[in-house]
Amino acid sequence: LKLALALSALAGAAASAAAVLGSAAAALAEDYVQPNGAEGISYAVIKTGAGPPVEVGQLAVIRFRGKYQDTVFDDLFATSNPYYLRVGSGQLLKGVDEAVALMRTGDRWRVKIPGKLAFGNKGRPASPGKPRIPPNAEVEFEIEVLDVPGTGDDLLDILGMDEEAKDDE
C-alpha cells in the first residue's frame, strides 16, 4: 500500500513537472519581440548576457543553429569551432546580421527571420544533408554571442595585462 501511494505521488509530481515545463516552453515560444516592426525579425531571449553590446563593423564570435520548419540546416552548436562574423558585412543572412547587431556578449536568442531577410525570392536549393528552402520561407535561428574581441578583459589579455599584471602595478 505504501509503495502504491508513493508511486501515485511520484506520478502526480511528474505530471505537474511536465505541465510546468510545457507552460514554460509555450510562454517562451509566444514571447517574441519585434524590434523593427511587423516585417522585420522577431526574437525571444533564451539567456541574457552581461557583456558589451555588439556594434556594426565589429568582429563577433558566435554560434548558431538554423532551422526551416523542423529541419536543421546549419548547426554550429554541434561543432567545436565558432563562427567569426564581421557584423553588417553580409557574410550571413541579413536577418542573422540584424539580430547579432542588437545583441550583447553572452546573449542567446531564438530568432524568427522572414523570407525577405533570409533566402529571399530565390530560396535555397537542396544540397547534401541540407533541405531545399522554398522562396520567401521564414526560418528560425538560435544565436549566441560568445565574444566581441577587443572589448573588455580580452583586450588586456592580448596586451599581456592580465589580472596578475594589474595587481603588480
Side-chain angles (χ1 to χ4, degrees):
L1 181 63
K2 287 182 182 180
L3 180 58
L5 289 174
L7 289 174
S8 176
L10 185 58
S16 295
V20 168
L21 289 174
S23 296
L28 178 64
E30 294 172 3
D31 196 23
Y32 280 83
V33 175
Q34 291 184 308
N36 297 322
E39 294 182 334
I41 65 166
S42 59
Y43 66 90
V45 176
I46 298 170
K47 181 179 106 181
T48 301
V54 180
E55 296 177 15
V56 172
Q58 290 181 316
L59 186 66
V61 183
I62 65 172
R63 288 197 183 277
F64 60 83
R65 177 182 306 112
K67 287 183 359 179
Y68 168 65
Q69 295 178 338
D70 291 327
T71 305
V72 173
F73 58 84
D74 275 322
D75 191 356
L76 290 184
F77 287 108
T79 68
S80 60
N81 294 321
Y83 187 85
Y84 292 82
L85 169 69
R86 179 71 58 192
V87 181
S89 68
Q91 287 174 258
L92 295 175
L93 299 178
K94 188 172 182 176
V96 172
D97 236 349
E98 191 175 301
V100 172
L102 297 170
M103 298 173 77
R104 54 187 323 116
T105 304
D107 279 351
R108 188 167 181 159
W109 292 0
R110 185 168 294 115
V111 183
K112 289 183 182 179
I113 303 174
K116 70 179 188 175
L117 298 177
F119 295 102
N121 292 331
K122 294 181 180 181
R124 191 180 90 174
S127 59
K130 297 186 179 190
R132 174 186 175 275
I133 299 175
N136 298 311
E138 179 181 88
V139 295
E140 184 174 288
F141 273 75
E142 187 169 321
I143 305 168
E144 182 173 22
V145 178
L146 303 173
D147 192 18
V148 178
T151 60
D153 292 338
D154 61 330
L155 183 57
L156 296 176
D157 293 339
I158 292 169
L159 297 173
M161 295 183 63
D162 60 5
E163 292 300 319
E164 292 176 16
K166 288 193 293 186
D167 289 341
D168 292 339
E169 291 179 356

